[in-house]
Amino acid sequence: MQTIERNGNALAYIHAPGKGPTIVFLPGYASDMSGSKAVAIDTWARETGRACLRFDYAGCGESGGAFADQTLESWRDDALAVIDAATAGPLVLVGSSMGGWIMLLTALARPERVVAMVGIAAAPDFTDWGFTPEQKAVIQAEGCLREPSIYSPEPTVTTRRFCESGEANRLLGAPIDIPVPARLIHGQRDPDVPWEHSLTLAGLLRSDDVQTILVKDGDHRLSRPQDIALILKVIEDLSAAS
C-alpha cells in the first residue's frame, strides 16, 4: 500500500502495474478499497497481468481525514489526485454506486485518458432523488442526517456540505459529454438505487456504445459470485477492446 498527500490527508492506494489500460475502481459512499468487488477486480488484474488501481477517499478506509468533512467534489479530487500520481496512459473507470457518479465526473475531468467506463448500480445525482423531503429537511436544519445501515454496524452519515456539493454537480438534467464505451450493470432488486436510473444514464451519455445490463435477481451490492463473474467479464471485454 502506498499513499499520497492531498489537503493534509494521506490518501491510501494500491497499484498493480500491468498491460493494457489501467482499471480504476471507484468505491461507493462510505465504502473503501477492501470491498469484495474491489478485491476481486484487483485479484483478477494481477492474475491476468492487467494494470489496476484501487484507493480510499479521504475519511474512508485507510486514508486520513474525517469522513464528515468530505464532499462529493473533494472525493472527485481525491480520485483525480491518486490517478494522476499513480498511473499513466489510458484508463477504464469502474464506479460502484456513488463511485459511478465520481466515475462520470472523473471522465469529464480527464477526457483525454478515459477510454471506457463500467457502472455498477451507478448513482449519479443521488443527493437529489435519494432522500425524502423529510430527510432533506433534517439535513438542512441540523446539518447532518444519521440513519441505520444494512451494510455496516455504523450509521450512515450524510452532511449538508456533502449534499450541497452533490447538488452543484448534478448530471442527469442534460446530455453528458462522455463519448467512450460504457457498460451499466444494475440489479433489478436494488433497494437503494432504482435500476431505471441506469436506463436514464444510458440515454444521456453521448457515446453510441452504451449497454445496460440488468440482473433480474441482483441487489444493490452485486457481490455474489455470479455477479462478480459478470463484472469481471464486462471489464475484460472492454479492456481488450480499448
Side-chain angles (χ1 to χ4, degrees), residues 18-238:
K19 63 186 178 182
T22 302
I23 300 157
V24 181
F25 184 81
L26 301 159
Y29 190 83
S31 188
D32 56 51
M33 63 176 166
S34 67
S36 57
K37 291 189 292 293
V39 171
I41 292 169
D42 182 278
T43 300
W44 169 83
R46 292 174 188 272
E47 290 174 347
T48 57
R50 304 276 184 171
C52 182
L53 173 68
R54 54 187 171 120
F55 71 98
D56 289 335
Y57 309 116
C60 301
E62 299 297 321
S63 290
F67 181 85
D69 292 340
Q70 312 310 315
T71 67
L72 183 75
E73 287 181 5
S74 73
W75 282 345
R76 175 205 61 194
D77 292 344
D78 288 347
L80 293 171
V82 175
I83 287 170
D84 290 346
T87 72
L91 308 168
V92 173
L93 303 181
V94 182
S96 177
S97 194
M98 180 206 71
W101 195 353
I102 293 181
M103 171 185 76
L104 298 171
L105 295 172
T106 299
L108 289 168
R110 296 291 184 272
E112 74 283 0
R113 296 194 60 194
V114 176
V115 296
M117 302 186 302
V118 179
I120 306 169
D125 294 18
F126 78 86
T127 51
D128 174 46
W129 51 258
F131 299 95
T132 66
E134 292 76 17
Q135 290 171 321
K136 289 182 178 180
V138 170
I139 292 170
Q140 286 301 314
E142 302 180 13
C144 180
L145 176 69
R146 297 176 182 271
E147 296 181 293
S149 171
I150 63 174
Y151 307 111
S152 168
E154 299 297 320
T156 298
V157 177
T158 308
T159 66
R160 181 168 56 221
R161 289 182 69 239
F162 184 90
C163 287
E164 289 172 349
S165 177
E167 290 302 279
N169 286 277
R170 285 166 58 181
L171 296 173
L172 298 182
I176 302 171
D177 190 19
I178 303 175
V180 303
R183 304 292 180 265
L184 306 174
I185 307 171
H186 214 129
Q188 289 188 278
R189 294 180 184 172
D190 186 336
D192 300 312
V193 182
W195 58 266
E196 290 90 350
H197 284 292
S198 281
L199 299 181
T200 299
L201 176 57
L204 291 172
L205 289 170
R206 184 161 71 87
S207 172
D208 287 332
D209 187 2
V210 179
Q211 297 178 18
T212 304
I213 303 168
L214 300 178
V215 182
K216 188 170 183 178
D217 63 345
D219 61 8
H220 181 63
R221 300 183 75 177
L222 290 176
S223 292
R224 301 171 302 175
Q226 63 267 39
D227 300 327
I228 289 177
L230 171 63
I231 291 166
L232 294 179
K233 182 65 166 61
V234 168
I235 294 173
E236 181 177 28
D237 290 347
L238 272 182

